[in-house]
Amino acid sequence: QVQLVESGGGSVQSGGSLSLSCAGSAYSDSLYYMGWFRQASEKEREGVAAIDSDGTPRYADSVKGRFTISRDNAKKTLYLQMDNLKPEDTAMYYCAASIRLEWLLLRDIPLNRLVTWGQGTLVTVSG
């Protein structure tokens, strides 16, 4: 079974930082584009960041300058470093794989645009 597993969520004060990780059998540096999306309560699935096959990152405007996506192909792990967190960043964060990088950055990602996604990790920002 193809799987992705996220870790690293938690609760922080506004302005704080968290680092998320994602590993699993679905991780690929060649077959799929990898990225992160988030979903707050009763909100859409918002694409946050994605990384292409040569390591070039792309970000949603809402997180640009604050979040950094990276990957370690040897460890088959995807990362999301989140700095200067704001209360509006509160959401479940999921890593995902897709055959098109731009689908990972949609404002409301349809699930049928994803090859697979993890179970999510909760990020709560208070302040």
Side-chain angles (χ1 to χ4, degrees):
Q1 183 178 357
V2 175
Q3 289 184 324
L4 292 170
V5 180
E6 303 92 342
S7 60
S11 297
V12 293
Q13 294 287 323
S14 181
S17 298
L18 282 173
S19 182
L20 307 183
S21 299
C22 170
S25 58
Y27 178 91
S28 172
D29 60 344
S30 59
L31 290 177
Y32 308 125
Y33 296 100
M34 303 296 297
W36 295 88
F37 70 91
R38 65 188 180 187
Q39 189 166 26
S41 178
E42 299 183 4
K43 295 289 185 64
E44 65 278 1
R45 282 179 293 276
E46 178 190 13
V48 171
I51 191 164
D52 68 15
S53 56
D54 68 5
T56 301
R58 289 180 60 186
Y59 302 95
D61 288 342
S62 58
V63 306
K64 200 171 293 182
R66 301 187 298 120
F67 289 13
T68 303
I69 188 172
S70 62
R71 68 186 190 204
D72 184 332
N73 291 336
K75 295 182 179 180
K76 295 188 176 297
T77 301
L78 185 72
Y79 303 98
L80 186 68
Q81 176 65 38
M82 304 184 294
D83 298 316
N84 191 21
L85 283 160
K86 304 176 181 179
E88 52 264 42
D89 294 319
T90 295
M92 284 291 287
Y93 282 72
Y94 303 83
C95 70
S98 178
I99 61 172
R100 299 278 296 272
L101 182 141
E102 57 267 32
W103 289 349
L104 292 165
L105 293 169
L106 291 173
R107 188 67 178 87
D108 186 5
I109 304 173
L111 290 177
N112 62 9
R113 300 292 176 93
L114 301 176
V115 172
T116 190
W117 58 95
Q119 84 288 349
T121 186
L122 181 62
V123 171
T124 303
V125 185
S126 58

